[in-house]
Amino acid sequence: MEEFLIMNTGVVPFLSLLIFVPLVGALVLLVSDSPIFAKLWSLFVTVATAIISLPLYFGFDLSTPLYQFAENHPWIPSLNINYTLGVDGISLLLVLMTTLIMPLCVLGSWRYIDKRVREFMICLLLMETSMIGVFVALDFVLFYVLWEAMLIPMYLMIAIWGGPRKTYASTKFFLYTLAGSVMLLVAIISLYLEVGTFSIPMMMGHGYSPLFQFWVFLAFFVAFAIKVPMFPFHTWLPAAHVEAPTAGSVILASVLLKMGTYGFLRFCLPITPEATLLFMPYVLWLSVVGILYGGFTALAQKDMKKLIAYSSVGHMGFVTLGIFVLNKDGIEGAILQMINHGITTGALFFCVGMIYERTHSRELADAAGLGRFMPWYVTFLAFFSLSSLAFPGTNSFVGEFLILVGGFTRSKVIAACAIPGAVLAAAYMLRMLQKVVWGGVHNPDQSGLLDLNLREIVTLAPLLVFVFWIGLSPEPFMNVMHSSVAHLLEQVQGASGSAMAMSKILIP
Amino acid sequence: MEIISCKLLYALLAPLIGSLVVMRCGKHPDLREGVSFVAAVTMFGIVMSMVPDVLSGNRLVYTLFKILPGLTVTLRADGLSMIFAVVASSLWILAVFYSMGYMRGLKEHAQTRFNACFALALFGAIGVAFSDNLFTMYLFYEIVSICTYPLVAHHQDDESYRGARKYIVYLTTTAKGLLLPAMILIYVLTGTLDFATNISTGIFPPDVNATMVTILYICCLLGFAKSGIMPLHSWLPSAMVAPTPVSALLHAVAVVKVGVFSTTRVMLYVFGVDTMTAFNLGIPTAYFVSFTILTASIIALSKDNLKARLAYSTVSQLSYIILGVALLTPSGIEGGLIHIANHAFSKITLFFCAGAIYVATHKKNISEMGGLGKTMPFTFAAFGIASLSMIGAPPVAGFVTKWKLLMGSLDLPSPHYIFIILILLTSTLLNVGYFAPVTYKAFFGKRPVGEQYEGIREAPLAMVVPLMIAAMISVLIGIYPGFMMSFVKAVMG
């Protein structure tokens, strides 16, 4: 086990702190039910967590694909279950994005949540614990526990603080995800029976029989495809997004969707490489379908949250496309696009929430013609919309560019089929932007609306910084991935040639 | 020789900072227009200060951002960029005065937004002019598309929203649907997007697949839909709903020239004359754009609305530029490139005149302008001069173009040269057909029944002076083509 890890030698166990600080913070909230204390304390805890996560970046060794800042303690020795944590180039950015988003979620819920504030904040902090835990866990049982733990606070956030159809949406979300989780559990147990350990790194490169890989891949795939969500497993997403409170939508879009694609990268590719090669063409085509379907459906929406939710289906289609083209550009682009989608879509959900706080409507028609009265708001909205449609110079362009470079390297036909998705992204985002900023000849009276206040600007500004930072100078973000992605590709390409030969037949 | 120069960055910053300051000066109209003027003059000054270096055969470059290996935001000034940069920056100065006169004369709303977006459009245009690679060009090309949307939709009525939607749909769809994949494929094939440093070699490796290059070429040619090439031209007449200074900017300087400039840049510096000759891409392109030249001229004949006639004239004239380059002969390329400047000065005069007539008389249709020349002699004189340039009569600028294009076609192999010359002659006759009657009727025609010209005078000085200057420049660069030609010579190497 130890050979995969670079143990955390310093005094501070950063990864454990990241997991336990929000958890302890949530427990502290139990002492007082004052709403203002709950808000300030949660803000403090999430900012502290964000600060604790920074040394991960600055102390990260770029030259190795091993898991760093690792911790390894026995947990249930009789079953060989350990408490193993570590980050590599694939998970590092996701952890950092999570810790960045969480303080903003607290800020974004400041006025939006007006009942049971303390309970809401407890849910937020519990979410943070389990989300960070999922990204850093290297033991499958630990991973699974945290993966399931995520479901409960998210379910509560939708079911208690959600919109009119909250019961339907939260139940659908719960059932879909749980169905996926069961498949995940099956895969974990069968892997355990094969290898005799729950250590994720030790399960990689084990040379399982093709038939075994076939079934394990399928189980993994269903679990993660629901989470991403890939077409046709996506129907829970628009419902959940529309009904969830702003912070819930942001967490869903920014972090939870990434769990699925993270799962592909962490488990499917290295543990079942031959099955990955075998299924590659199908997943690629499914991604293309998702890109186009998400784009067309987003174009038809009248509800802004639904529009952004369907745009997520399209954007995540690009991510799965990038992962399954199985080359350096594609996978690095996919990882970057996961971060980009987290930043941009999170920001867009914040933007919609800000309108909702003012007009109590998410309808595009009700928000028409805001531009004259909320100039700062539409400035932010414009930049985030441009980022979402992959305007050159913004973060998403770099991700989409790399994914398509990877795509064209793998198969010109498949990549060319994804291009209309990029056009559609421009269409639906510009349509929304045009409506909100200009509207038409008969706009509703928006003159009573106040522009953004300082708290709201502070919520959006950090995200805007990252939009341009990644868009114009992505090197600091790309550097951390190189060794891990190279290692991942070695693991996949080490697989036998037969599956590769077979997949070539199916890709034009 | 390559010189690293921050001047390129300053030339970009002038309009960008200008627009930001303009947005803050909304309550002080004089200060706002003053800022626009200062920004325009600053940009022109910076551009002119680069002229000596470029003319002595150097290339100025400046890298702003390194995004990925082979993907950077880099600026360059060479002969080709200077043709466009000099034209755009000098005409912006005239346009500032002219739009002040026009917008105030008609008491238009949202003048601050108008001025700010105007400056941003110039920011994009100058960025395209100074692009050193395909990505930088794509970036600024898209900035121009987005920043001109508020200008086209300025009136905010149903018609302008419709026109603006068509505008943005055509331009972004072609850019994302054709240019983006072409750009990515070029990156995959060559590992770089940097333009070549001469017009012959291009950037493709010698063993590249011919079909692939042809597909990429078609994507690029159609992807730059701002060039108004048929069948992707119809955004251009629709965008005529914009106020006339915008039409002038769009159809003479910034937008359409961004389109043709990008097309020529890519033809010459990505594909290169050698590759285009080897894969036989030049002559088919020439015939393809000839269709646009003739068809647009015929449509122009049928238009009574002056701005619509000018719009179709633009569609037709832009294709001269692509035609010239597509001939791939030295004279042809020279004729095409010099037409970027010649067309700009003359066409902006025509649009300025159309706007002046509208401000003075509120008339849009040519049939209502009979005899108006006596009341507005300066405007119609300028219109006449610029029309001569469009037709290609000496000594106005357009003559230089036509001469070079004819020379260029003579170098073609038989029978192509006969066809191209026939096309040029036919189109010249058509030009006469739709331009000559306007001036003729204004000076020698009868006043239409029921029209009253009493109380009508020339438009304000802020409009008439710029249009006279633009007309005079059209004559000057016809008589002394040396200055603009020197940049063309720098391109030819």
Side-chain angles (χ1 to χ4, degrees), chain A residues 389 392 397 412 434 438 441 474, chain B residues 67 135 139 149 158 176 212:
Chain A
L389 66 87
F397 180 83
K412 296 191 174 62
Q434 196 280 341
W438 293 69
V441 181
Chain B
I67 295 177
F135 169 69
L139 164 68
Y149 176 88
D158 277 329
K176 286 214 93 171
M212 184 56 77

Side-chain angles (χ1 to χ4, degrees), chain A residues 399-418:
Chain A
E400 210 172 284
F401 183 84
L402 279 171
I403 290 171
L404 287 171
V405 166
F408 274 112
T409 315
R410 167 66 63 196
S411 154
K412 296 191 174 62
V413 176
I414 287 182
C417 289

Side-chain angles (χ1 to χ4, degrees), chain A residues 376 386 389-393 397-398 400-402 404-405 408-409 412 419 422-423 425-426 430 434 438-441 470-475 478, chain B residues 65-68 71 73 113 135 138-139 142-143 146 149-150 153-154 156-158 161 168 172-173 176-177 180-181 183-185 187-188 193 212:
Chain A
W376 280 106
L386 290 180
L389 66 87
F391 196 81
F397 180 83
V398 185
E400 210 172 284
F401 183 84
L402 279 171
L404 287 171
V405 166
F408 274 112
T409 315
K412 296 191 174 62
I419 291 291
V423 178
L430 289 176
Q434 196 280 341
W438 293 69
V441 181
I470 301 179
L472 293 171
S473 178
E475 220 180 337
M478 303 296 297
Chain B
F65 301 102
K66 284 196 173 71
I67 295 177
L68 297 169
L71 187 73
V73 179
R113 180 182 77 203
F135 169 69
Y138 178 72
L139 164 68
E142 291 281 56
I143 288 179
I146 298 287
Y149 176 88
H154 185 85
Q156 292 182 256
D157 50 21
D158 277 329
Y161 280 129
I168 202 82
T172 51
T173 307
K176 286 214 93 171
L180 182 70
M183 187 166 83
I184 294 170
L185 262 175
Y187 184 79
V188 171
L193 292 172
M212 184 56 77

